[in-house]
Amino acid sequence: MTALASHAAAPTGARSRLRRLADSERFLAWALLAPAVVFIVALVGFPFVLALLYSVTNVTVGTQSASFVGLAKFRQAMESPAFWGAVRNTFLFTLVSQALVIVLAGTLARLLMMEFRGKWFVRLLILLPWVAPISLGSIGWLWIFDSIYSVINWTLRHIGIFGPETWPIWLGQPTLAMASIITVHVWRMLPLAAIIMLAGFSGIPKDIHDAAAIDGAGFWRRELQIILPLVLPIVLVAVLFGIVFTATDMIVIFIITRGGPFDSTQVLASLAYYTGIDGGDLAEGAAISLFLFPLLVAIAYLMLRLARRTEVT
Amino acid sequence: MATVETRKISKFYTHEQAAVDGIDLFIPEGEFIVFLGPSGCGKTTLLRMIAGLEHPTAGDVLIDDRVVTALAPRDRNIAMVFQSYALYPHMSVFDNIAFPLRARQFAKAEIPGKVRWAAEMFGIARFLERKPRELSGGERQRVALARALVREPQVFLLDEPLSNLDAKLRTSARDELQQFQRRIGTTTIYVTHDQVEAMGLGDRVVVLSQGKVRQVGKPLEVYDEPADTFVAGFLGSPPMNLIDRGSAILGFRPEHFLPIEARETGNDAVRFTFRVTRVEYLGADRLVYGMLEGGAGEAKVLSRLPSTVPLPVQLGERHEFVIGRRDLKFFDRQTGLRTAPIPL
């Protein structure tokens, strides 16, 4: 055994050292983790620390120096009505779109569990919104909601639901604008949630379904007492991702409504951008963007704890 | 309690290959019947069709003389135990056992008593508050049995319920299972690929291969009088020696193939010259490998000798071995079915 090992290590010193390194778990662990660590520190950690620093100063886009002002920028943000509107909109946007996503993704995942012809094609179609660049998809939606060329209006009028005088301006009326961005966001989040939930549903062994059928469970009993508790941990993970993605997202809003009309679709993320970058008040922008952070941390903590508690295997 | 019957039942997953191919069976009330066969022989598909979990391509299932082919599993009043036990992992043992009762709208007040009765039947009453993951394999299997028993079904269907247990536990579980079935007397269908389980448990054994019934009979009948070469080669460990003898295939069990000294020779015995090539010691037995010589050429065969019988031969040597005439079985070369004895 020893003879064999020393023989294998014989050829060159450098190569054998490399091979030994590749066998060392401590080295490998760090080598494989390093890119991710660098990536997170540079693109998430650094900006986050910067935002923390900015939020307690009076830095603006044009200035070279900044001085410490304590929590003044937070106070300033909280005194503006636009801020509270954005808080309200963020909650509305997040809660409504997540509720829709979970219900629709659950339904979709159940449909995808069934066997039918052309299933691969349907799966592909469903993944498309997730794979395609979000800006591209949003621009498509921009046309769909266009005030003059809206396909929705055209279709609804042609099938006779709208009279010739009805002409909803999807992105121009506050309620419709919020409904529009929620629609786009649900369309965008649906694939990921559906795939996560599909994994949850397929994770339930066939024997469990069979046992429930033999034990005499009807549709509702099977859904509510067997399937739902078993997929709950995974659904919670999907909800957690959804909430964090939705509450911190501004791409859809940035492209489709720019927060308008009258700030009716302004959320905290977009307000922070408009205040900090467009408005030049970096410090207040940072303060606004940090507002949701403790809340999201609390939500993430709660969800992960809940998911662990309901874990069943 | 009920009878179970299948009439020309078939299941085709593809057009060419039948998983189950036109099986007729009648299982009388209270019988413990075992479906035995290698994996892929269709035994589980047959069981699942009786359960209603699979729909037959053709044919009917009857329970208590009533055609149930179109009924859902829950309307057949059957209970099933799965190989994986299929316990509901998020429910306590109590809730697992109570589930079939609640699903059947039993009166609330009645449920705890019934659950306790079923749990005590299998000695798991002290685990009622635990979750399945906190139980050992043997305990889970008992929970699965209690869940099946609790609503007193007409028929028990058991799909390899012992195969996830370790060898020692399996022997005692087998014993308990049979005693339990005798006590409650419910018609039971048991699927296994393990011939020891089949021989030990079944009132009758159904040997299946490639979707067809090869033989149905009491365990000893199936072992001693195999209907064809498949059954002869599947049952027994090691299985029956099958050697080509011209127009027929000759079969004999290794334990019937003994040195001439070990057996009273009379005119009911047939003599063979056996060249020993290898001996394997298995504790209580020895397996003697070698070649049968003479007549229609050489053939590899096995002899199984109890260690109490001396082996009067060295490796490489020839010796006279004998087989009782009634222990010789003959099979048709083409069909593999049993035929009348031919002169040797």
Side-chain angles (χ1 to χ4, degrees):
Chain A
M1 197 63 217
T2 6
L4 210 82
S6 64
H7 177 75
T12 62
R15 191 185 291 176
S16 78
R17 206 171 314 133
L18 204 66
R19 196 178 299 171
R20 241 194 334 270
L21 271 183
D23 280 340
S24 147
E25 278 194 17
R26 273 173 60 181
F27 169 77
L28 266 190
W30 276 106
L32 296 177
L33 273 177
V37 172
V38 169
F39 181 85
I40 291 172
V41 168
L43 296 178
V44 183
F46 176 67
F48 177 67
V49 172
L50 210 58
L52 283 178
L53 289 177
Y54 280 177
S55 65
V56 290
T57 63
N58 61 0
V59 67
T60 63
V61 168
T63 52
Q64 298 288 317
S65 63
S67 51
F68 180 76
V69 296
L71 295 178
K73 287 293 173 183
F74 286 93
R75 210 173 302 124
Q76 184 184 326
M78 287 168 76
E79 274 161 10
S80 91
F83 173 81
W84 290 110
V87 170
R88 197 188 61 92
N89 288 339
T90 305
F91 275 92
L92 188 70
F93 178 53
T94 305
L95 294 181
V96 174
S97 54
Q98 270 318 292
L100 287 172
V101 163
I102 290 307
V103 172
L104 293 175
T107 317
L108 204 55
R110 296 305 294 277
L111 287 176
L112 287 178
M113 289 284 288
M114 296 175 183
E115 289 300 329
F116 55 89
R117 278 168 71 106
K119 187 164 144 176
W120 67 271
F121 184 68
V122 177
R123 279 194 185 202
L124 184 80
L125 278 185
I126 285 167
L127 267 182
L128 220 51
W130 185 254
V131 180
I134 174 62
S135 46
L136 196 71
S138 299
I139 289 169
W141 279 102
L142 206 52
W143 290 333
I144 292 175
F145 291 133
D146 189 275
S147 55
I148 299 171
Y149 304 110
S150 169
V151 194
I152 305 175
N153 291 354
W154 185 88
T155 310
L156 291 179
R157 198 165 17 261
H158 271 76
I159 55 176
I161 291 180
F162 285 175
E165 300 308 314
T166 332
W167 194 261
I169 299 168
W170 293 98
L171 304 178
Q173 289 160 264
T175 327
L176 286 183
M178 184 49 104
S180 301
I181 61 159
I182 286 175
T183 306
V184 179
H185 198 75
V186 168
W187 168 82
R188 180 194 172 207
M189 294 297 292
L190 194 55
L192 180 70
I195 296 295
I196 292 177
M197 282 167 95
L198 184 61
F201 287 128
S202 351
I204 301 178
K206 190 166 174 283
D207 279 358
I208 297 274
H209 292 289
D210 287 346
I214 287 195
D215 284 345
F219 176 80
W220 289 112
R221 189 178 295 273
R222 204 169 60 234
E223 292 295 318
L224 299 178
Q225 292 185 11
I226 305 284
I227 297 177
L228 186 67
L230 288 178
V231 295
L232 198 61
I234 286 177
V235 171
L236 286 178
V237 171
V239 172
L240 172 62
F241 271 95
I243 287 181
V244 174
F245 275 165
T246 312
T248 58
D249 185 81
M250 59 164 279
I251 303 176
V252 171
I253 289 163
F254 182 75
I255 292 175
I256 292 191
T257 62
R258 300 198 151 250
F262 323 116
D263 279 349
S264 63
T265 58
Q266 198 74 274
V267 291
L268 284 170
S270 59
L271 184 67
Y273 173 81
Y274 288 122
T275 312
I277 308 296
D278 280 10
D281 190 348
L282 275 181
E284 196 185 330
I288 293 172
S289 70
L290 283 175
F291 183 81
L292 271 186
F293 177 70
L295 190 66
L296 290 178
V297 169
I299 291 176
Y301 174 75
L302 274 180
M303 291 261 175
L304 289 178
R305 258 190 57 149
L306 204 59
R308 186 162 324 143
R309 244 219 331 253
T310 50
E311 213 157 274
V312 283
T313 41
Chain B
M1 274 187 272
T3 60
V4 177
E5 192 178 348
T6 66
R7 287 188 186 156
K8 294 259 168 294
I9 199 168
S10 294
K11 179 78 186 180
F12 284 78
Y13 289 112
T14 62
H15 280 295
E16 308 87 49
Q17 189 64 46
V20 170
D21 196 355
I23 288 181
D24 284 306
L25 271 181
F26 180 80
I27 303 161
E29 208 163 283
E31 187 173 58
F32 197 126
I33 197 164
V34 178
F35 294 173
L36 174 68
S39 50
C41 72
K43 56 190 189 299
T44 296
T45 308
L46 181 58
L47 187 78
R48 291 174 60 85
M49 286 194 289
I50 293 171
L53 294 171
E54 305 262 358
H55 199 77
T57 315
D60 278 311
V61 178
L62 288 84
I63 296 177
D64 241 1
D65 300 324
R66 194 166 61 108
V67 177
V68 297
T69 318
L71 295 186
R74 65 165 177 271
D75 300 323
R76 299 185 181 201
N77 200 12
I78 45 153
M80 188 159 166
V81 174
F82 297 82
Q83 184 176 357
S84 65
Y85 314 138
L87 300 178
Y88 308 122
H90 56 294
M91 295 184 191
S92 67
V93 169
F94 181 94
D95 288 333
N96 262 283
I97 301 176
F99 189 82
L101 300 177
R102 290 179 180 143
R104 268 151 224 278
Q105 323 282 341
F106 270 64
K108 253 207 174 97
E110 226 181 306
I111 291 174
K114 281 198 152 285
V115 170
R116 194 150 282 283
W117 165 74
E120 269 160 14
M121 198 81 155
F122 291 99
I124 48 167
R126 64 185 187 283
F127 301 137
L128 284 177
E129 299 313 314
R130 295 209 196 154
K131 291 274 177 68
R133 66 164 175 272
E134 297 163 316
L135 303 178
S136 72
E139 289 157 0
R140 285 181 205 187
Q141 189 241 358
R142 286 148 186 266
V143 176
L145 284 167
R147 184 176 70 182
L149 167 74
V150 71
R151 64 190 147 87
E152 301 172 69
Q154 287 187 298
V155 182
F156 274 123
L157 307 176
L158 309 175
D159 188 5
E160 310 221 9
L162 304 184
S163 60
N164 283 350
L165 300 179
D166 60 56
K168 202 173 144 196
L169 207 52
R170 207 177 307 169
T171 314
S172 61
R174 203 162 65 215
D175 181 46
E176 283 169 25
L177 196 61
Q178 191 173 40
Q179 284 186 18
F180 156 74
Q181 199 268 343
R182 293 273 178 274
R183 197 158 64 229
I184 58 162
T186 302
T187 313
T188 300
I189 305 177
Y190 186 102
V191 163
T192 184
H193 64 269
D194 182 337
Q195 45 172 310
V196 179
E197 280 176 19
M199 305 292 286
L201 282 170
D203 294 326
R204 282 193 304 158
V205 176
V206 180
V207 184
L208 291 144
S209 158
Q210 298 183 326
K212 287 199 162 78
V213 172
R214 295 311 183 100
Q215 190 169 4
V216 184
K218 295 201 172 73
L220 267 184
E221 280 171 23
V222 178
Y223 187 79
D224 287 339
E225 303 294 339
D228 63 11
T229 49
F230 173 80
V231 180
F234 183 70
L235 283 177
S237 150
M240 192 175 260
N241 290 301
L242 293 170
I243 57 176
D244 203 330
R245 275 292 174 267
S247 57
I249 290 173
L250 179 62
F252 52 90
R253 295 263 170 219
E255 64 267 30
H256 294 144
F257 185 56
L258 300 170
I260 193 157
E261 297 83 356
R263 193 176 191 284
E264 303 278 305
T265 43
N267 42 11
D268 68 326
V270 183
R271 297 161 78 121
F272 292 91
T273 307
F274 184 52
R275 179 159 54 83
V276 176
T277 56
R278 195 160 82 83
V279 181
E280 210 171 79
Y281 295 92
L282 301 177
D285 291 306
R286 274 160 304 171
L287 292 184
V288 184
Y289 294 73
M291 304 298 281
L292 207 60
E293 294 184 339
E298 295 206 326
K300 258 190 164 169
V301 294
L302 268 177
S303 159
R304 183 189 188 117
L305 285 182
S307 47
T308 49
V309 174
L311 179 65
V313 58
Q314 300 293 312
L315 284 188
E317 285 180 1
R318 290 180 177 77
H319 195 79
E320 290 295 296
F321 270 59
V322 290
I323 310 163
R325 198 169 284 280
R326 59 182 191 86
D327 294 328
L328 283 171
K329 317 292 171 193
F330 297 85
F331 302 95
D332 186 274
R333 265 187 69 133
Q334 253 73 50
T335 60
L337 295 174
R338 280 288 284 281
T339 57
I342 54 158
L344 286 166

